[in-house]
Amino acid sequence: MKLTRILGAAALTLGLSSAAFAADITGAGATFPAPVYQAWAVAYKDKSGTGLNYQSIGSGAGQTQIFNRTVDFGASDAPVAGDKLAAQKLLQFPAVIGSVVAIVNLDGIAANQLNLTGPVLADIYLGKITKWNDPKIAALNKGSQLPDLAIVPVYRSDGSGTTFVFASYLSAVSPEWKSNVGAATSVQWPAGAGGKGNEGVAGTVKNTKGAIGYVEYIYASSNSLITTQLQNKAGKFVAPTVPSFQAAAANADWAGAKDFAASMIDTPGETTWPITSATFILLPKEPKSGPQAAEVIKFFDWAFKDGGSIAEKLHYIPLPADVANRVRDAWKTEVKFDGKPVWTN
Amino acid sequence: MDATLTGNQAASAMAVARKPTGRLSDPIFVGVLWASGIFVLILLGLIIAMLFEGGLPALREFGIQFLWSTTWNPVTEKFGAGVMVFGTIFSAVIAVIIALPLSFGIAFFLTEIAPGPLRRPIGVAIQLLAAIPSIIYGMWGFFVIVPLMAAYVQPPLIDLLGPLPVIGALFQGPPLGAGMLTAGLIMAIMILPFITAMFVEVLESVPPMIKESAYGVGATTYEVYRNVSVPYGRTAMVGAVMLGLGRALGETMAVTFVIGNATRMSASLFAPGSTIASTIANEFPEAGPGSLKLQSLLELGFILFVISFIVLALSRLLVRSKLKG
């Protein structure tokens, strides 16, 4: 008897709560942009009353969920291939931009003191440059005294968009990397050791003298890690700063990119940071529910319009205004329910 | 739930009226028992079938070579289980080699030497080791043991033993801290409580009369240990070690933190490697739906299942043959 009553009460509570969340939108996928999506969700709920339930379960799992249409939108760090998008009837658009930076553990080297070039970074990760006093590194750092110490390259052991972006950069600047290793969310690393997640890489670098690693800029800046300068396509050494990321976003070829998969890897420009990338949202072109898809679009429309300062506070780069407008055009023309656009501004 | 209620009511009814009213409830009860038993079999069968079926495309693509191929290249989508199978067995064997003497020592100390007041605290401490979640061991290993290994253990060993022929290969490479030995060490601490608990049980089951007779004819503590206690419980001890090995084979989170996660084969104890479980934990979230990588990961899971099954079967076989002899 008592049990039935408890069960009844529980069912009632569940019923009530599901009613309260009926208008909420659900998303799943990439972990890298999860902090900004969650911060946006809180601010948007205050403004509109519509909540967002975002599960940061990884890009691959996010793709599975949206392919099965168990969520309203999926999120992926690496862009999804065009033929797959077409087959799954998905619209892909960028949501926010982030950067990957190199971090080191060397005595007497301060943040942004060490200069590296792309080819040197690739040779380090290929296991070809093995000592910090290698002439190739010394030539870039005339003022600094670099020790006779083994270089330990550290990478992400878990599959991640960060690795995809970093390996894409190494592929762009080193033909040998491109042919021997390539780029994906995880690759066959020729040298070094892996740590799980940003914290695993940062921790391994911190534990190991002479280690070099790569992490998302947000992680490096919020933990005051020792970052390095990198040479960009224009030949200038740049420090990883928000303006240098914005320059990368502004200089990317958005007009020529299919499915918004514009590369921000090694883009031209004097002040451009070379390892920058967008993270993407996957939205069904023929959603199961028109109003629900409209809610998703309204959320991102608001995020593009008013979410910029929140993103910047978390060290993400908001989309350039013209790119956001291109995305809005795509929403209007491509997302349809019963043949009618679900969102018309 | 209903069946239990009915069963209870029937029992109380019987107690009061002593009438045989269990005519309906008894078959229901027996049916529930049958269902529970069969459920386990079905569950196990379904898990095996799912892993096998999910991994089959990978096996078809790469052939039987998948089992020993040492390539794991997500870019070209060429996968092989060689490195992970090697890493799984290598790290688990290291764990058992470290844990075994320690377990012997603790178990014998607890049953023979330890004074009464010390016995309980040590026993409880060992049980608490077993209660610590795996991820805590991982964090502790990562933040405490790995830096210690990198600073104080590995450099002298590399300098001392690295240049030697043959066994030198076990001690080469940069002192990363993370690696096979560190993973084995952490796992040794994790399986220690299980092996020790079983050893204590075995040693306690040695009849006091036999031990006292041995002491009576002048045997030392070591001689009693060596010639009486251990031979008496050898079979169960082998079983305990095998169970520890089985646990180490599947350990995931702690290993992922400290093994260094490299998909390269190396004979060195200090080299980073990976196990089947750590690879699955690392790669699963980013493995695309229907991709060859996902299928290869499922196949890896199936291989781990088979290895664990073999270890378990072997331990039972050993115990049984000893019992017969």
Side-chain angles (χ1 to χ4, degrees):
Chain A
M1 259 322 166
K2 210 173 180 183
L3 195 76
T4 343
R5 222 175 292 153
I6 294 170
L7 277 174
L12 202 64
T13 328
L14 273 174
L16 282 177
S17 59
S18 67
F21 288 116
D24 283 5
I25 50 182
T26 54
T31 49
F32 158 66
V36 69
Y37 294 166
Q38 266 139 16
W40 278 347
V42 171
Y44 186 66
K45 173 127 192 163
D46 283 347
K47 193 199 139 266
S48 69
T50 304
L52 162 66
N53 177 8
Y54 183 76
Q55 308 158 23
S56 56
I57 50 177
S59 300
Q63 287 173 27
T64 311
Q65 297 246 326
I66 192 63
F67 287 3
N68 295 331
R69 301 292 192 268
T70 47
V71 286
D72 295 326
F73 69 88
S76 175
D77 282 332
V80 176
D83 53 339
K84 225 178 206 178
L85 288 174
Q88 297 289 341
K89 298 204 174 73
L90 290 172
L91 171 69
Q92 171 174 276
F93 64 88
V96 73
I97 293 163
S99 281
V100 177
V101 300
I103 55 171
V104 292
N105 177 356
L106 281 171
D107 286 331
I109 296 288
N112 302 333
Q113 191 188 336
L114 193 73
N115 287 338
L116 292 173
T117 65
V120 164
L121 201 56
D123 281 353
I124 288 175
Y125 272 91
L126 280 168
K128 285 170 70 189
I129 297 180
T130 56
K131 293 270 185 182
W132 280 109
N133 61 355
D134 190 282
K136 277 189 186 162
I137 302 178
L140 304 171
N141 298 281
K142 294 252 163 58
S144 313
Q145 195 64 43
L146 289 167
D148 175 21
L149 185 66
I151 305 179
V152 179
V154 182
Y155 50 82
R156 284 281 289 266
S157 63
D158 48 331
S160 80
T162 313
T163 296
F164 175 76
V165 173
F166 186 70
S168 299
Y169 171 65
L170 296 185
S171 295
V173 294
S174 160
E176 189 177 347
W177 184 274
K178 192 174 184 178
S179 60
N180 290 358
V181 184
T185 51
S186 60
V187 301
Q188 190 164 31
W189 298 94
K196 190 162 163 36
N198 282 308
E199 62 284 0
V201 172
T204 308
V205 170
K206 202 175 140 206
N207 285 340
T208 319
K209 278 266 172 293
I212 183 167
Y214 63 90
V215 293
E216 285 141 18
Y217 173 71
I218 325 148
Y219 192 81
S221 66
S222 50
N223 289 287
S224 316
L225 303 176
I226 306 295
T227 52
T228 71
Q229 300 210 95
L230 265 181
Q231 193 179 40
N232 62 19
K233 204 169 191 174
K236 295 276 189 302
F237 285 99
V238 285
T241 56
V242 170
S244 69
F245 308 150
Q246 278 165 339
N251 287 322
D253 177 20
W254 293 98
K258 199 175 173 293
D259 299 317
F260 291 102
S263 168
M264 276 174 277
I265 299 294
D266 210 24
T267 39
E270 295 274 304
T271 57
T272 299
W273 178 255
I275 325 179
T276 305
S277 168
T279 179
F280 297 90
I281 297 294
L282 304 167
L283 197 60
K285 284 183 179 173
E286 293 163 12
K288 278 188 299 191
S289 149
Q292 192 71 3
E295 288 298 329
V296 176
I297 293 175
K298 271 188 222 157
F299 171 76
F300 283 105
D301 180 50
W302 169 85
F304 291 167
K305 222 171 354 207
D306 300 328
S309 60
I310 296 175
E312 276 171 0
K313 218 176 280 166
L314 294 167
H315 305 286
Y316 295 86
I317 314 303
L319 285 189
D322 61 316
V323 180
N325 284 332
R326 276 174 205 280
V327 173
R328 288 191 178 98
D329 289 342
W331 289 339
K332 277 179 216 163
T333 54
E334 298 199 34
V335 182
K336 286 178 180 158
F337 182 67
D338 277 347
K340 278 181 278 225
V342 300
W343 181 82
T344 47
N345 206 1
Chain B
M1 184 61 72
D2 281 342
T4 336
L5 279 178
T6 334
N8 281 342
Q9 284 160 356
S12 56
M14 272 213 285
V16 177
R18 301 202 176 274
K19 262 195 239 161
T21 51
R23 228 161 255 161
L24 181 67
S25 65
D26 205 45
I28 293 176
F29 181 61
V30 171
V32 168
L33 294 188
W34 266 95
S36 312
I38 300 293
F39 170 74
V40 179
L41 275 183
I42 292 177
L43 190 69
L44 190 70
L46 282 178
I47 292 173
I48 298 175
M50 187 284 267
L51 282 175
F52 183 73
E53 199 239 330
L56 202 58
L59 204 61
R60 226 176 257 146
E61 172 80 21
F62 303 115
I64 193 75
Q65 272 177 309
F66 182 83
L67 296 179
W68 57 82
S69 160
T70 56
T71 314
W72 184 271
N73 192 333
V75 181
T76 54
E77 298 218 297
K78 295 264 180 302
F79 299 106
V83 175
M84 293 86 191
V85 171
F86 169 77
T88 304
I89 295 171
F90 194 36
S91 60
V93 168
I94 294 173
V96 168
I97 289 175
I98 298 173
L100 191 59
L102 263 174
S103 298
F104 263 125
I106 298 169
F108 202 69
F109 177 77
L110 279 180
T111 50
E112 294 293 317
I113 317 283
L118 208 57
R119 224 169 265 194
R120 264 186 71 84
I122 294 181
V124 169
I126 290 173
Q127 279 167 13
L128 280 178
L129 278 184
I132 298 174
S134 161
I135 187 96
I136 308 285
Y137 277 110
M139 281 166 56
W140 174 69
F142 186 71
F143 288 114
V144 180
I145 299 301
V146 167
L148 281 179
M149 294 286 282
Y152 301 110
V153 179
Q154 296 183 347
L157 282 175
I158 291 168
D159 290 343
L160 193 71
L161 302 171
L164 295 179
V166 190
I167 68 157
L170 280 174
F171 301 97
Q172 280 163 358
L176 271 173
M180 285 290 179
L181 182 64
T182 315
L185 192 67
I186 299 289
M187 281 200 288
I189 300 168
M190 297 179 72
I191 62 176
L192 192 69
F194 296 92
I195 301 185
T196 307
M198 287 187 75
F199 279 5
V200 167
E201 214 167 285
V202 170
L203 290 174
E204 273 175 350
S205 71
V206 179
M209 222 204 334
I210 308 181
K211 281 191 289 185
E212 274 156 24
S213 315
Y215 282 122
V217 296
T220 62
T221 314
Y222 174 72
E223 281 164 345
V224 172
Y225 176 63
R226 176 91 219 299
N227 300 320
V228 179
S229 300
V230 171
Y232 187 86
R234 190 178 283 148
T235 48
M237 284 177 170
V238 172
V241 170
M242 283 293 187
L243 278 181
L245 186 67
R247 227 187 112 72
L249 286 172
E251 182 43 51
T252 309
M253 276 328 287
V255 173
T256 309
F257 271 77
V258 299
I259 200 164
N261 302 302
T263 48
R264 296 183 301 271
M265 188 82 98
S266 170
S268 175
L269 285 168
F270 302 150
S274 52
T275 68
I276 292 177
S278 75
T279 305
I280 295 175
N282 273 321
E283 305 266 24
F284 207 72
E286 291 292 326
S291 67
L292 207 50
K293 185 167 159 188
L294 188 66
Q295 289 153 358
S296 301
L297 288 174
L298 288 169
E299 184 62 32
L300 273 185
F302 182 71
I303 294 172
L304 181 60
F305 200 102
V306 171
I307 294 176
S308 303
F309 183 81
I310 291 173
V311 168
L312 205 69
L314 217 62
S315 79
R316 303 212 71 159
L317 199 75
L318 274 173
V319 170
R320 199 169 294 167
S321 70
K322 293 272 179 176
L323 280 178
K324 270 182 197 154

